[in-house]
Amino acid sequence: YSMLIGFPKQTTMSKRYFQMCEILTCGRYARGERFAYRSFRNYVEIRRGGRLIYRDNTWYEPELFSMEETGMMEGFTHQANLFVTKPEDGEAFYEEVRKLLEDERKNCQGGITRLTEGDYAVRLFGWRGQVLEELSDKILRLLRKNPV
């Protein structure tokens, strides 16, 4: 795997199995600094054998974009993004993640997407980073049940 995070840092890994999780926040919410930053940019590109399998290009400028609206943070304060390499039993992994999301719907919202090569991307929205971190850990632990 070759992964480009931000610019110009590049990390190359030679593993069959790869997972990534990042949690973004609106700023220092408790201090009333919700989306008070000027901008945030994050670029992630993941390649397998030189072929692009995942790309996320996040660009937030609260002065230009209505961060609270649909398509952005949608009223939430935190966002988690996960990528996992294709598990051996992708359908079982997908269904277990959907069940976890359903069980946690009072604390957060999210979805799972099966990518072209059989890998998965999960996006979560919530009001507390700790809740998203715990749910992300549960999702990533499912890979041990459905190994690559």
Side-chain angles (χ1 to χ4, degrees):
Y1 291 93
S2 175
M3 183 171 75
L4 180 63
I5 302 175
F7 180 80
K9 182 180 177 185
Q10 182 170 351
T11 304
T12 302
M13 292 160 270
S14 58
K15 295 182 178 182
R16 280 185 54 210
Y17 171 74
F18 176 75
Q19 63 188 31
M20 177 198 78
C21 177
E22 62 182 355
I23 298 176
L24 311 175
T25 181
C26 67
R28 297 186 296 188
Y29 177 74
R31 293 187 177 200
E33 298 174 1
R34 187 175 174 126
F35 305 112
Y37 53 86
R38 280 186 290 201
S39 69
F40 172 80
R41 285 190 146 172
N42 188 41
Y43 183 81
V44 176
E45 186 176 282
I46 302 173
R47 295 178 176 272
R48 180 184 296 124
R51 184 172 175 199
L52 180 66
I53 59 170
Y54 176 82
R55 178 184 295 151
D56 185 41
N57 188 7
T58 302
W59 173 32
Y60 296 151
E61 285 195 38
E63 288 184 12
L64 297 176
F65 310 123
S66 179
M67 298 300 297
E68 302 285 350
E69 299 301 319
T70 301
M72 299 305 273
M73 294 291 279
E74 303 187 13
F76 294 98
T77 58
H78 293 74
Q79 174 185 328
N81 301 309
L82 293 86
F83 170 89
V84 298
T85 52
K86 52 186 168 186
E88 190 172 293
D89 188 348
E91 279 305 309
F93 176 75
Y94 178 87
E95 291 303 323
E96 290 180 62
V97 171
R98 295 280 307 213
K99 181 170 181 352
L100 279 174
L101 295 175
E102 181 66 25
D103 293 346
E104 292 289 331
R105 71 177 182 264
K106 68 180 183 292
N107 297 315
C108 64
Q109 292 182 10
I112 179 170
T113 302
R114 182 184 181 278
L115 305 174
T116 306
E117 301 280 324
D119 306 289
Y120 288 87
V122 180
R123 185 154 291 178
L124 308 169
F125 290 98
W127 296 279
R128 294 186 57 224
Q130 183 178 356
V131 169
L132 295 186
E133 181 179 13
E134 290 169 0
L135 182 55
S136 296
D137 286 345
K138 287 179 186 177
I139 291 168
L140 296 176
R141 278 196 307 272
L142 289 175
L143 289 172
R144 292 188 198 113
K145 289 175 63 177
N146 301 291
V148 182

